[in-house]
Amino acid sequence: QTPAAVSTLTSLMSTVRAINLVLPETEVYLASSIIDGQLVLNLRSTLVDPVVKVELVGRGYLRWLEEENPEWDYEKTTACTNQVVYVSKTQNFHIKDGWLDSGVHTFDFHFTFPPNIPSTFASKIGCISYFVQGTCCSSQVVLAKEERCLLLQGTAADRRRHTKDTAPLVVEVRKDVVYFCCFRRGFVTLRISLEKSIFCPGDTIVFMTDIANRTCKYVRKVIFALHCIVLYRGFSRKGEPRYLEDQSEVTRLESRTDTAPFEAMRVTSALVLPKPMPITSTLTENKIMAFRYELVGTSDLPCTTSTIVVRVPIIIAA
């Protein structure tokens, strides 16, 4: 660039004193809802032929590394990636007479979220994110920009798919135990009961756990956790489809039980679901990620290396 061009560019960029996005105090937006806001532009001097716009963008992206061919003698990894755009809308503001005077200018905008978009989500492998971005340009030069992230709760799902899952749910697991120090055998049974298996983000999951301890040791505690299991669909650099399943812990609760030998106990517990969170879905619905959930109860049996685990499928709908 020539000195004259650099001077003109510096003068243009110094024209904008500040740019701000003013959004409603909404913690979580719902799919199909409307977002109303303002773009506030503060100029030091007159700006000629400006382009002022606000964009609403939502997109998903994932990436992981895997071994290209396990049969090779050397290690070579390939990146599996995928991405999708869930929403991309732009509102350009009409500038009367083609110029803006110095001072503060306010531009109102509104967008409607599509009805069938997934919730905000982030993991070490992939993310689904939404944001609004305000931009002021002149002569194809970006003079100022501000971006604000949004939390969105998806609501799309095939409700007919879950109509059979409204009945109470009971899952029981028995674990046999052998104590070689005293040559005794026994078992522990965990039974988790729920009045329903379908919940919404923000709900409280209330469940009962029956512990039958038929050993000579105390069962001290049970750890409950809600696991989110995600199936990712990506592509190798050769365009071949790849799949990876990964899970993360959404919320957990540690419950002291101290169930005595040859005794039984019932514990009532509750886990509060966060908001937003992805709803139970398929790859067809979310394109690059599928979500399912399990309520998992785990107890380490004392004086042994044994662990008893109960897995209860939970459906998150909205």
Side-chain angles (χ1 to χ4, degrees):
Q1 291 182 333
T2 63
V6 172
S7 176
T8 301
L9 178 59
T10 303
S11 176
L12 276 173
M13 298 189 69
S14 65
T15 300
V16 181
R17 178 178 282 113
I19 183 171
N20 295 291
L21 285 167
V22 180
L23 301 176
E25 296 181 0
T26 304
E27 292 185 5
V28 179
Y29 292 90
L30 292 178
S32 300
S33 65
I34 297 175
I35 174 173
D36 293 300
Q38 292 180 327
L39 177 67
V40 181
L41 195 61
N42 191 345
L43 301 180
R44 288 190 175 89
S45 57
T46 301
L47 185 59
V48 180
D49 293 331
V51 176
V52 182
K53 63 181 179 180
V54 175
E55 298 168 275
L56 172 65
V57 180
R59 57 196 177 200
Y61 176 79
L62 58 86
R63 182 180 188 274
W64 75 88
L65 297 176
E66 67 177 30
E67 192 174 349
E68 191 162 320
N69 192 331
E71 297 180 357
W72 289 347
D73 294 333
Y74 59 93
E75 182 178 336
K76 184 177 182 180
T77 58
T78 183
C80 301
T81 61
N82 205 349
Q83 59 184 336
V84 62
V85 176
Y86 293 111
V87 56
S88 179
K89 298 183 177 182
T90 302
Q91 185 170 339
N92 289 282
F93 300 106
H94 173 70
I95 307 300
K96 187 178 180 180
D97 299 327
W99 58 276
L100 291 173
D101 204 353
S102 60
V104 177
H105 303 268
T106 302
F107 304 90
D108 297 324
F109 66 87
H110 73 276
F111 294 106
T112 302
F113 288 102
N116 40 339
I117 54 176
S119 304
T120 300
F121 172 77
S123 73
K124 64 181 183 294
I125 296 173
C127 68
I128 298 173
S129 60
Y130 299 88
F131 62 89
V132 289
Q133 179 178 271
T135 308
C136 177
C137 307
S138 182
S139 303
Q140 297 182 338
V141 175
V142 177
L143 306 182
K145 179 189 297 184
E146 186 182 27
E147 181 179 299
R148 297 278 293 277
C149 293
L150 306 174
L151 295 178
L152 184 125
Q153 175 60 59
T155 59
D158 185 359
R159 290 183 173 272
R160 295 170 296 179
R161 192 169 81 231
H162 304 316
T163 53
K164 66 180 185 299
D165 300 304
T166 56
L169 184 61
V170 179
V171 178
E172 179 179 295
V173 173
R174 168 175 160 161
K175 184 75 173 182
D176 293 322
V177 182
V178 178
Y179 293 99
F180 291 104
C181 59
C182 52
F183 302 101
R184 300 189 64 174
R185 293 176 178 269
F187 65 88
V188 174
T189 302
L190 283 185
R191 180 192 297 118
I192 296 181
S193 308
L194 295 89
E195 293 185 355
K196 61 178 183 177
S197 60
I198 300 179
F199 299 90
C200 294
D203 280 356
T204 299
I205 302 177
V206 179
F207 55 96
M208 291 184 298
T209 305
D210 291 292
I211 308 167
N213 182 13
R214 296 295 181 263
T215 70
C216 59
K217 305 292 183 179
Y218 276 82
V219 178
R220 295 296 184 184
K221 66 180 179 180
V222 181
I223 297 176
F224 302 102
L226 181 67
H227 290 179
C228 176
I229 301 102
V230 188
L231 176 63
Y232 298 94
R233 178 173 64 186
F235 292 92
S236 68
R237 59 184 178 183
K238 297 179 181 179
E240 300 166 332
R242 291 287 187 268
Y243 297 89
L244 176 68
E245 187 170 276
D246 186 56
Q247 72 174 25
S248 59
E249 192 175 279
V250 178
T251 182
R252 68 156 36 206
L253 171 68
E254 183 176 309
S255 180
R256 296 289 300 184
T257 58
D258 291 327
T259 307
F262 304 101
E263 297 288 338
M265 177 179 288
R266 169 170 285 187
V267 180
T268 301
S269 309
L271 287 173
V272 179
L273 299 179
K275 191 175 182 181
M277 64 185 301
I279 62 176
T280 302
S281 57
T282 64
L283 283 173
T284 302
E285 292 167 329
N286 287 350
K287 297 182 176 64
I288 63 174
M289 305 179 196
F291 296 91
R292 61 185 178 91
Y293 293 88
E294 286 181 342
L295 173 62
V296 181
T298 306
S299 180
D300 294 326
L301 304 183
C303 302
T304 73
T305 57
S306 298
T307 300
I308 184 169
V309 180
V310 185
R311 300 182 182 276
V312 185
I314 300 293
I315 294 172
I316 304 300

